[in-house]
C-alpha cells in the first residue's frame, strides 16, 4: 500500500519498532567497537538511550506527529548515555524540531526533519569527526534533499534513506584508518541504521517483536483506577486543559464493542491522554480536552453518565508553579556556593573522592556510562549554586555537558578523562577561589597528570598497525595503546618506562578488583626500586576489568 502521509500513531509505532530492533542487535553493534577492550558499549549506550525515549513517548497517548517526536526527543535527552547516545539524542532532537507544529508527516517534511537532525547533532559536538554516526546522518540528509523530491511515497523515501545510509556506512573505514585496520564499519552509524531499518519495517507492516512492557502495564491498569499523573505539567506545556473523567454506568443493552472503539477515536480527535476501558457492562473514560461537554456528548450515545469529574489543569498548574517558586526561593536562600559531582566506579576510588569532599558520586566509568538525567539529578542534589562535574572518562564528557540543560544551576564540566585526572583536579579545588579561578586551577592540575590503564583484549583485531590477540594484556597511556604483552606485571613496568621522565615526582598506582593486594604491593615495590627519585604510592581502586590505573605527575 502506497503511504504518502503518516500520523502520530504510525510515527509512534515506527519509533517503537526502531528501538526494538536496536535492542535485539545491541551486542552485534557493541562488537563493532574498534578498541578490543572489555567495555565496548556503543550498542548498549544507544539502546538504553532510545529505550528511555520510548518510555517517555509511551507515557501519554499522542496523536500528532510533533507531539510524538517531542516526547521521543525529551526522553532521549534525559536517558542519553555515552557519546553515541548523546549524539543519537541530538539527532532525535533535530527531527523533533523539523516536525514541530505538524499533525502528520509527508515526504517533504521527513526530509526537512532529517536535515534538522544532522544539523543539531553536528552543533552538539565541538570537534566533529568524519567517518562516524555524524557522517552517516549528514550524507543521508544530503541524499534525501537531492533525491527525495522524486519519491511519491514514504516507502520510497525510506528505501532511499536506507540505501544512502548503508552506502556511506560501508565507506566509513575509508575515512577512519582505525576502522579499516580493525575491519569494521562505524558502530554508531550502524546503530543508527538499525533504528531506521526498524522504523521502515513498521512503515511497511513488518513485525518487529517489541517488549516494552506496555501490554503488561495495560493489563495492570485495566481493572483499577486510572492514575492521571500530570503533576509536573506547567501552564505552557498544557495543550488540552480539562482533565475529564466519567463512567457510562448503564450502557444501552445493544451497545457494541465497535461503538466503544468509535468513542475512543472521537475522543482522540479532541484531546489526548485518552483511556477508554469497557467490558460492555460499564465504560470508564478519561481524556484531557478543551471541550469536556463534547466528550460527554459523545459518550451519552452509549448510555447514562455517572461519577463525572472535570478538573481545570491550568489552575492546578498555576497553583503548583506558585508553590514551586516559593520553594525555589527558600532553597536558593540556603544554597551553598560550590558543589562537586564526580563519576567513578570502584569501592576504593569512590572512597577517595568522598575523602576529597566530593558531594555526589555517580556510578560510571569504563564499564558503565551514566545518563544525562543521572548527572543532572546529581547536580541538583549538591544543593549548590555552582557545580563542577568531573566526568573522569572521555565517553562521559559530552553527556556531562548536555546535563547542564536539565538544571538551572551554573554547571562547569572539567575535561577530566580519567580518575587520576579527577583526583588531581579535586586537590586543586579551593572554596576561597572564584568559579573562574577554580576552573583554571583544576583544569591545569588535571592536565599535568598522565594516566596508564591496564586491561585485556576481548577479541583478535588490528589497531594502529598492531596485531592484537584475544587475552593480550594492553597498556594504554592517555587512552592510546602503548604496550602489548602477555603478563600484567611486565606490561606495567614497560608502560611506566614510557611515562616516567626527569620531571616526574609522583607515581600513583590504583589497583582493581581483580588484583590481589600482594601483587599490587610487588608492583609498587618494583617501581619504587626502578624510580628511586620518585614517590610511589599504592591505592586500592577496586575498579572492574582494569587491573591497574597508573598516574604519573
Amino acid at each position: 500500500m502506497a503511504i504518502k502521509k503518516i500520523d502520530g500513531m504510525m510515527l509512534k509505532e515506527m519509533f517503537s519498532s526502531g528501538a526494538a530492533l536496536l535492542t535485539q542487535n545491541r551486542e552485534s553493534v557493541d562488537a563493532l567497537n574498534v578498541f578490543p577492550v572489555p567495555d565496548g558499549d556503543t550498542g548498549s549506550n544507544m539502546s538504553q538511550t532510545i529505550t528511555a525515549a520510548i518510555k517517555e513517548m509511551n507515557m501519554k497517548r499522542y496523536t500528532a506527529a510533533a507531539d510524538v517526536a517531542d516526547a521521543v526527543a525529551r526522553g532521549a535527552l534525559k536517558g542519553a548515555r555515552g557519546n553515541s547516545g548523546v549524539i543519537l539524542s541530538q539527532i532525535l532532537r533535530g527531527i523533533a524540531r523539523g516536525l514541530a507544529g505538524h499533525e502528520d508527516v509527508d515526504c517533504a517534511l521527513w526530509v526537512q526533519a532529517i536535515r534538522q537532525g544532522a544539523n543539531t547533532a553536528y552543533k552538539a559536538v565541538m570537534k566533529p569527526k568524519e567517518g562516524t554516526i555524524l557522517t552517516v546522518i549528514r550524507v543521508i540528509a544530503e541524499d534525501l534533499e537531492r533525491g527525495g523530491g522524486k519519491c511519491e511515497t514514504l516507502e520510497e523515501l525510506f528505501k532511499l534513506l536506507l540505501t544512502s545510509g548503508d552506502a556511506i556506512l560501508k565507506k566509513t573505514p575509508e575515512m577512519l584508518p582505525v576502522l579499516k585496520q580493525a575491519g569494521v564499519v562505524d558502530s554508531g552509524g550502524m546503530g543508527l541504521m538499525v533504528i531506521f531499518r526498524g522504523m521502515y519495517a513498521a512503515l511497511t507492516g513488518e513485525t518487529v517483536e517489541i517488549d516494552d512492557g506496555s501490554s503488561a502495564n495495560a493489563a495492570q491498569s485495566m481493572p483499577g483506577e486510572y492514575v492521571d499523573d500530570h503533576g509536573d505539567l506547567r501552564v505552557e506545556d498544557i495543550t488540552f486543559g480539562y482533565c475529564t473523567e466519567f463512567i457510562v454506568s448503564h450502557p444501552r443493552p445493544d451497545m457494541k464493542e465497535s461503538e466503544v472503539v468509535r468513542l475512543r477515536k472521537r475522543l482522540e480527535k479532541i484531546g489526548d491522554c485518552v483511556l477508554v476501558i469497557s467490558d460492555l457492562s460499564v465504560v470508564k473514560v478519561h481524556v484531557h480536552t478543551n471541550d469536556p461537554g463534547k466528550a460527554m456528548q459523545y459518550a451519552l450515545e452509549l448510555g447514562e453518565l455517572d461519577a463525572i469529574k472535570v478538573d481545570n489543569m491550568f489552575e492546578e498548574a498555576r497553583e503548583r508553579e506558585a508553590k514551586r517558586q516559593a520553594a525555589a526561593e527558600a532553597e536558593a536562600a540556603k544554597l551553598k556556593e560550590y558543589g562537586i559531582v564526580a563519576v567513578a566506579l570502584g569501592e576504593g576510588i569512590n572512597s577517595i573522592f568522598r575523602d576529597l569532599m566530593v558531594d555526589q558520586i555517580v556510578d560510571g566509568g569504563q564499564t558503565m556510562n551514566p545518563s544525562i538525567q543521572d548527572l543532572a539529578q546529581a547536580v541538583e542534589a549538591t544543593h549548590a549554586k555552582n557545580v563542577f562535574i568531573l566526568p573522569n572518562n572521555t565517553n562521559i564528557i559530552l553527556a556531562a555537558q548536555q546535563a547542564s540543560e536539565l538544571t538551572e544551576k551554573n554547571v562547569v564540566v572539567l575535561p577530566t578523562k580519567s580518575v587520576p585526572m579527577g583526583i588531581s583536579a579535586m586537590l586543586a579545588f579551593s572554596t576561597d577561589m572564584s568559579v573562574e579561578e577554580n576552573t583554571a586551577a583544576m583544569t591545569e592540575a588535571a592536565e599535568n597528570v598522565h594516566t596508564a590503564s591496564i586491561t585485556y583484549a576481548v577479541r583478535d583485531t588490528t589497531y594502529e598497525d598492531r596485531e592484537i590477540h584475544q587475552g593480550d594484556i594492553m597498556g594504554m597511556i592517555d587512552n592510546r595503546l602503548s604496550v602489548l604483552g602477555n603478563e600484567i606485571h611486565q606490561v606495567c613496568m614497560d608502560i611506566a618506562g614510557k611515562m616516567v621522565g626527569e620531571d616526574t615526582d609522583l607515581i600513583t598506582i590504583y589497583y582493581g578488583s581483580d588484583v590481589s593486594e600482594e601483587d599490587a604491593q610487588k608492583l609498587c615495590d618494583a617501581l619504587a626500586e626502578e624510580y628511586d627519585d620518585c614517590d610511589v604510592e599504592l591505592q586500592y581502586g577496586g575498579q572492574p576489568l582494569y587491573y591497574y590505573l597508573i598516574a604519573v605527575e
Side-chain angles (χ1 to χ4, degrees):
M1 184 176 69
I3 300 175
K4 295 187 177 182
K5 187 179 288 188
I6 61 171
D7 60 11
M9 299 302 289
M10 173 54 77
L11 184 62
K12 185 175 181 180
E13 288 182 29
M14 291 169 66
F15 276 128
S16 294
S17 180
L21 194 61
L22 179 60
T23 299
Q24 292 173 17
N25 290 274
R26 174 181 54 79
E27 291 183 2
S28 59
V29 176
D30 278 344
L32 294 176
N33 282 276
V34 172
F35 222 32
V37 292
D39 54 4
D41 52 8
T42 299
S44 298
N45 286 337
M46 293 182 74
S47 177
Q48 290 181 73
T49 298
I50 198 164
T51 296
I54 300 306
K55 181 179 179 181
E56 182 83 14
M57 181 187 74
N58 286 335
M59 289 180 70
K60 291 187 178 180
R61 189 178 180 87
Y62 299 105
T63 57
D67 293 337
V68 171
D70 277 342
V72 167
R74 187 167 58 249
L77 178 64
K78 292 190 290 187
R81 298 173 186 270
N83 291 340
S84 56
V86 173
I87 293 172
L88 174 60
S89 76
Q90 296 306 300
I91 291 173
L92 295 171
R93 188 182 204 178
I95 288 174
R97 288 173 176 169
L99 301 183
H102 292 273
E103 291 279 332
D104 303 312
V105 183
D106 59 14
C107 289
L109 188 58
W110 187 250
V111 172
Q112 176 182 309
I114 292 294
R115 165 50 68 192
Q116 286 271 39
N119 291 349
T120 304
Y122 266 86
K123 289 176 183 177
V125 180
M126 188 172 296
K127 295 180 180 179
K129 184 181 291 187
E130 296 302 327
T132 66
I133 183 176
L134 291 171
T135 305
V136 173
I137 190 63
R138 174 180 58 78
V139 171
I140 288 175
E142 292 169 354
D143 287 346
L144 291 189
E145 287 172 334
R146 257 192 307 269
K150 300 175 184 177
C151 298
E152 296 184 358
T153 68
L154 281 164
E155 295 102 321
E156 291 177 311
L157 188 68
F158 257 83
K159 284 182 183 178
L160 175 59
L161 182 156
L162 294 176
T163 300
S164 169
D166 288 342
I168 188 59
L169 186 62
K170 289 178 183 177
K171 293 179 182 177
T172 54
E174 303 303 321
M175 303 177 193
L176 281 177
V178 291
L179 296 176
K180 188 171 185 178
Q181 285 192 348
V184 297
V185 297
D186 177 66
S187 55
M190 175 60 83
L192 180 64
M193 291 309 300
V194 171
I195 292 171
F196 282 143
R197 195 160 284 111
M199 294 180 73
Y200 177 68
L203 180 67
T204 56
E206 290 183 44
T207 300
V208 174
E209 186 176 342
I210 300 173
D211 182 16
D212 60 1
S214 59
S215 59
N217 291 340
Q220 290 171 7
S221 65
M222 288 287 281
E225 292 299 316
Y226 180 75
V227 179
D228 186 15
D229 184 15
H230 45 78
D232 290 331
L233 286 178
R234 299 175 184 270
V235 171
E236 59 269 24
D237 297 328
I238 299 173
T239 303
F240 299 101
Y242 295 92
C243 177
T244 305
E245 298 180 53
F246 52 82
I247 296 174
V248 182
S249 56
H250 294 86
R252 297 190 336 264
D254 60 345
M255 185 185 75
K256 299 180 176 60
E257 182 65 36
S258 60
E259 292 180 279
V260 176
V261 173
R262 180 170 178 263
L263 172 62
R264 182 183 295 111
K265 289 181 178 179
R266 295 175 80 179
L267 293 176
E268 286 171 354
K269 291 180 179 179
I270 65 167
D272 64 7
C273 298
V274 176
L275 186 73
V276 179
I277 302 173
S278 171
D279 61 2
L280 296 184
S281 67
V282 66
V283 183
K284 296 181 66 175
V285 176
H286 171 279
V287 60
H288 290 175
T289 180
N290 290 328
D291 197 342
K294 184 172 286 188
M296 286 184 269
Q297 181 182 343
Y298 290 154
L300 278 168
E301 297 177 12
L302 304 185
E304 300 174 16
L305 303 190
D306 196 3
I308 299 171
K309 177 174 172 286
V310 179
D311 293 328
N312 183 340
M313 293 165 59
F314 292 109
E315 189 57 34
E316 289 179 358
R318 291 188 195 100
E319 292 175 0
R320 284 194 301 272
E321 182 58 31
K323 291 179 180 178
R324 269 196 293 258
Q325 185 64 31
E329 291 173 358
E331 181 67 21
K334 60 181 181 181
L335 287 178
K336 60 182 181 179
E337 191 67 23
Y338 290 118
I340 309 287
V341 173
V343 181
L345 193 62
E347 180 185 350
I349 289 170
N350 289 352
S351 178
I352 292 170
F353 276 122
R354 280 193 291 269
D355 290 343
L356 291 172
M357 306 306 291
V358 167
D359 295 273
Q360 296 289 320
I361 298 173
V362 179
D363 283 344
Q366 300 292 6
T367 56
M368 181 192 302
N369 295 143
S371 70
I372 292 176
Q373 188 170 36
D374 291 336
L375 294 167
Q377 288 174 343
V379 167
E380 289 293 330
T382 63
H383 302 294
K385 299 175 185 176
N386 305 290
V387 182
F388 292 98
I389 301 181
L390 306 172
N392 300 332
N393 187 289
T394 55
N395 203 33
I396 299 174
I397 292 175
L398 190 57
Q401 291 168 344
Q402 293 295 321
S404 62
E405 294 193 20
L406 300 182
T407 175
E408 295 182 359
K409 296 185 184 299
N410 179 38
V411 176
V412 178
V413 179
L414 296 171
T416 55
K417 301 175 182 178
S418 67
V419 164
M421 289 180 73
I423 291 171
S424 184
M426 277 306 303
L427 291 171
F429 171 75
S430 172
T431 55
D432 296 328
M433 293 193 296
S434 67
V435 173
E436 294 74 19
E437 289 171 332
N438 266 315
T439 300
M442 296 170 79
T443 300
E444 181 181 1
E447 291 177 347
N448 284 334
V449 178
H450 294 284
T451 305
S453 48
I454 317 300
T455 187
Y456 59 93
V458 295
R459 63 176 181 274
D460 295 347
T461 189
T462 301
Y463 182 80
E464 295 184 344
D465 297 323
R466 295 170 182 256
E467 284 192 14
I468 302 174
H469 300 286
Q470 183 176 350
D472 282 352
I473 305 302
M474 303 167 58
M476 292 162 286
I477 299 177
D478 297 333
N479 297 313
R480 294 186 63 87
L481 180 62
S482 180
V483 176
L484 274 176
N486 298 312
E487 199 270 323
I488 298 172
H489 182 94
Q490 190 57 51
V491 168
C492 291
M493 296 301 296
D494 291 345
I495 210 162
K498 291 178 176 289
M499 296 174 70
V500 177
E502 293 181 0
D503 297 332
T504 301
D505 297 318
L506 175 64
I507 302 171
T508 307
I509 305 164
Y510 302 90
Y511 65 97
S513 58
D514 295 327
V515 176
S516 68
E517 184 177 0
E518 181 182 0
D519 286 343
Q521 188 61 55
K522 287 180 181 177
L523 176 61
C524 180
D525 294 341
L527 289 175
E529 182 177 349
E530 182 73 19
Y531 306 103
D532 53 6
D533 290 338
C534 299
D535 291 329
V536 181
E537 296 183 357
L538 181 64
Q539 300 278 357
Y540 172 61
Q543 68 275 5
L545 301 180
Y546 283 70
Y547 302 115
Y548 291 101
L549 301 176
I550 302 175
V552 170
E553 302 175 57

